[in-house]
């Protein structure tokens, strides 16, 4: 779905910039007060079976208890878990955290969903505009991690959030998660730079397929027949959309597929990674450490492969608008971290099923918005394939609640 015309400029007004900064500042303040799993990562207390501050167990797949896991519980350790947008309800309640009938809580939850979608829209539009004219995905990804690193260090140095004490053993345990986090975001940007936003998100609808496949291969989790059936429209819809995609190219397609694979591999890695319960390490600080580690992991690779391309001298020599590139990259980086934090603030208030459905709706909103903004040509068959794939994701989020009968 490639744009038929030049990318329309999206020059934010002073009011919109104030809105984005205000919303981001509010999300960061709320993040310090509300429990959530920031940016797809969570610490799961094996001794209690719950996430910090949550009334429900947050898991990416219905992990089955074993004798080995029981021994780990008895030792009182913390498991570093990771999850992309949670898709299952493994052990979670389907009741909302906010009391029913409480108008204030309902309005707050609705506002959070609105911020979640708004930050996603802004991130994808601005990020695509930058990648369309500045085709250096390593540099763009590194810039986004550097913005996150700056925000983390600012919160720690100003005591907006307490800096954790981390041991070398804990850093070694978190390193694999930081590595796949880095690769997942890099592959996503590589795909966005090659194909349309709508097509990238259509391919990323296959995340449930990779989640089930990796869980079966490496964790021995056998999916139910209903889960298998729900994966069929996802795979079929993506295939149909790919065959009729105007912007299709193999580099963009496989980059999005690699993003799915790396993001879902975090579920497998987190199953193996343990952090000793020596120091308190909450979810915000865990994500903060991962962000900083991702920056240092990607920096030398970027310098070696792409060099320094974000300097004013290079941008001007390439005929690019210096102000637009810097401003759009900054807003994309801020929104990138903001939407992930708001996502898990929502998860702390609703059941995993509701969050999963909201994520499916979010993907629809991003696809429709990008199609309208970039004027992406969409054929009827292409739209049908995208719709079938997203419908399969919605169905998958529902059937994951069905537990296999115990023998």
């Amino acid at each position: 779905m490639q744009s038929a015309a030049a990318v329309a400029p999206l020059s934010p007004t002073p009011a919109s910039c104030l809105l984005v900064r205000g919303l981001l500042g509010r999300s960061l303040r709320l993040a310090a007060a509300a429990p959530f799993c920031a940016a797809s990562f969570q610490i799961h207390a094996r001794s209690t079976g719950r996430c910090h501050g949550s009334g429900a167990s947050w898991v990416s797949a219905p992990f089955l208890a074993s004798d080995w896991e029981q021994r780990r519980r008895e030792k009182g350790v913390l498991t570093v878990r990771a999850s992309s947008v949670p898709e299952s309800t493994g052990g979670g309640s389907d009741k909302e955290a906010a009391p029913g009938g409480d108008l204030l809580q309902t309005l707050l939850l609705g506002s959070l969903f609105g911020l979640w979608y708004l930050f996603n829209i802004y991130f994808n539009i601005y990020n695509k505009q930058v990648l369309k004219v500045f085709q250096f995905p390593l540099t763009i990804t590194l810039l986004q991690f550097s913005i996150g690193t700056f925000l983390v260090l600012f919160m720690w140095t100003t005591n907006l959030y307490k800096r954790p004490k981390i041991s070398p053993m804990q850093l070694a345990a978190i390193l694999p998660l930081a590595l796949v986090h880095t690769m997942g975001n890099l592959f996503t940007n590589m795909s966005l730079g090659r194909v349309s936003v709508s097509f990238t998100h259509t391919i990323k609808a296959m995340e449930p397929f990779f989640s089930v496949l990796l869980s079966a291969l490496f964790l021995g989790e056998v999916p139910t027949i209903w889960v298998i059936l729900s994966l069929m429209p996802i795979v079929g819809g993506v295939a149909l959309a790919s065959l009729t995609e105007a912007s299709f190219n193999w580099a963009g397609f496989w980059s999005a597929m690699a993003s799915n694979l790396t993001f879902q591999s975090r579920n497998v890695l987190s199953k193996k990674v343990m952090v000793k319960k020596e120091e308190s390490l909450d979810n915000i600080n865990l994500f903060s450490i991962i962000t900083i580690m991702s920056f240092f992991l990607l920096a030398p690779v970027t310098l070696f492969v792409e060099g320094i391309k974000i300097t004013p001298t290079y941008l001007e020599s390439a005929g690019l608008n210096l102000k637009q590139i810097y401003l759009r990259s900054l807003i994309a980086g801020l929104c990138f971290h903001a939407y992930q934090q708001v996502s898990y603030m929502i998860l702390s208030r609703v059941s995993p099923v509701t969050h999963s459905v909201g994520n499916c709706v979010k993907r629809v909103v991003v696809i429709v918005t990008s199609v309208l903004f970039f004027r992406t040509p969409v054929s009827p068959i292409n739209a049908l394939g995208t719709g079938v794939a997203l419908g399969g994701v919605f169905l998958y989020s529902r059937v994951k609640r069905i537990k296999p009968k115990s023998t």
Side-chain angles (χ1 to χ4, degrees):
M1 306 179 196
Q2 189 67 25
S3 174
V7 178
L10 183 61
S11 301
T13 63
S16 64
C17 290
L18 289 175
L19 173 62
V20 172
R21 289 197 296 267
L23 294 178
L24 177 60
R26 175 176 176 79
S27 69
L28 291 175
R29 290 194 299 271
L30 288 173
F36 63 93
C37 289
S40 309
F41 296 96
Q42 60 192 19
I43 298 179
H44 189 275
R46 299 302 298 172
S47 58
T48 61
R50 297 179 183 272
C51 274
H52 296 299
S54 173
S57 176
W58 297 351
V59 290
S60 302
F63 296 129
L64 302 179
S66 65
D67 293 338
W68 175 61
E69 291 188 8
Q70 183 62 33
R71 289 195 295 270
R72 296 194 310 185
R73 291 194 190 97
E74 294 171 355
K75 294 180 180 179
V77 293
L78 291 180
T79 302
V80 179
R81 284 191 181 268
S83 166
S84 59
V85 175
E87 300 158 352
S88 72
T89 60
S93 171
D94 197 29
K95 295 181 180 180
E96 305 298 336
D102 190 330
L103 180 60
L104 182 60
Q105 291 294 330
T106 301
L107 291 176
L108 175 60
L109 183 60
S111 300
L112 289 175
F113 270 99
L115 288 176
W116 188 21
Y117 295 172
L118 180 65
F119 284 137
N120 262 276
I121 292 171
Y122 268 72
F123 166 71
N124 282 279
I125 289 179
Y126 280 111
N127 200 36
K128 176 62 178 178
Q129 285 186 320
V130 173
L131 287 167
K132 188 175 180 65
V133 297
F134 184 76
Q135 299 180 353
F136 295 96
L138 280 164
T139 300
I140 294 300
T141 307
L142 179 63
L143 181 60
Q144 291 168 0
F145 285 138
S146 66
I147 292 173
T149 299
F150 172 80
L151 292 175
V152 169
L153 296 178
F154 176 78
M155 288 191 298
W156 283 349
T157 55
T158 58
N159 291 323
L160 291 177
Y161 206 82
K162 184 179 180 181
R163 181 172 60 88
K165 294 180 180 179
I166 190 76
S167 67
M169 185 177 297
Q170 288 175 314
L171 288 176
I174 298 172
L175 180 60
L177 297 180
L179 180 60
V180 293
H181 179 70
T182 304
M183 294 174 61
N185 285 288
L186 173 59
F187 285 133
T188 298
N189 282 336
M190 290 173 63
S191 179
L192 286 172
R194 295 282 186 168
V195 297
S196 66
V197 174
S198 54
F199 186 49
T200 295
H201 280 272
T202 300
I203 300 173
K204 286 178 70 65
M206 283 194 65
E207 284 182 352
F209 172 82
F210 287 95
S211 177
V212 172
L213 178 64
L214 293 175
S215 296
L217 291 178
F218 297 101
L219 302 179
E221 297 175 3
V222 181
T224 65
I225 184 62
W226 301 111
V227 169
I228 296 176
L229 291 176
S230 70
L231 295 178
M232 295 176 63
I234 297 177
V235 177
V238 171
L240 185 61
S242 300
L243 290 174
T244 56
E245 170 59 38
S247 69
F248 179 88
N249 65 71
W250 286 109
F253 176 82
W254 287 118
S255 295
M257 282 294 187
S259 174
N260 288 334
L261 181 62
T262 51
F263 277 136
Q264 293 308 312
S265 67
R266 292 184 307 204
N267 298 337
V268 177
L269 286 175
S270 64
K271 189 72 173 177
K272 309 295 183 182
V273 176
M274 304 294 295
V275 176
K276 289 187 177 181
K277 196 174 183 180
E278 299 171 349
E279 300 288 346
S280 175
L281 187 64
D282 60 21
N283 302 308
I284 297 177
N285 279 327
L286 176 62
F287 173 62
S288 299
I289 293 170
I290 288 172
T291 299
I292 296 174
M293 293 178 72
S294 296
F295 170 77
F296 284 105
L297 285 171
L298 191 60
V301 179
T302 302
L303 293 176
F304 179 77
V305 177
E306 294 182 352
I308 303 176
K309 303 295 186 182
I310 201 66
T311 60
T313 303
Y314 179 85
L315 294 178
E316 290 177 350
S317 65
L320 300 177
N321 188 310
L322 198 65
K323 182 179 178 181
Q324 284 187 350
I325 293 295
Y326 284 155
L327 182 59
R328 292 172 180 176
S329 298
L330 175 62
I331 295 177
L334 293 174
C335 290
F336 171 73
H337 293 276
Y339 87 74
Q340 295 187 73
Q341 290 194 2
V342 174
S343 170
Y344 285 93
M345 290 170 65
I346 293 174
L347 185 58
S348 69
R349 289 167 169 79
V350 302
S351 69
V353 170
T354 301
H355 188 279
S356 182
V357 173
N359 183 60
C360 182
V361 175
K362 178 214 70 179
R363 202 174 294 281
V364 174
V365 170
V366 171
I367 290 176
V368 172
T369 304
S370 66
V371 167
L372 294 176
F373 181 83
F374 292 108
R375 299 179 182 179
T376 308
V378 180
S379 67
I381 297 180
N382 187 278
L384 176 63
T386 302
V388 170
L390 295 174
V393 174
F394 176 81
L395 181 62
Y396 172 83
S397 68
R398 305 299 298 181
V399 301
K400 284 293 290 182
R401 300 179 59 189
I402 303 176
K403 298 180 180 180
K405 296 181 179 179
S406 58
T407 56

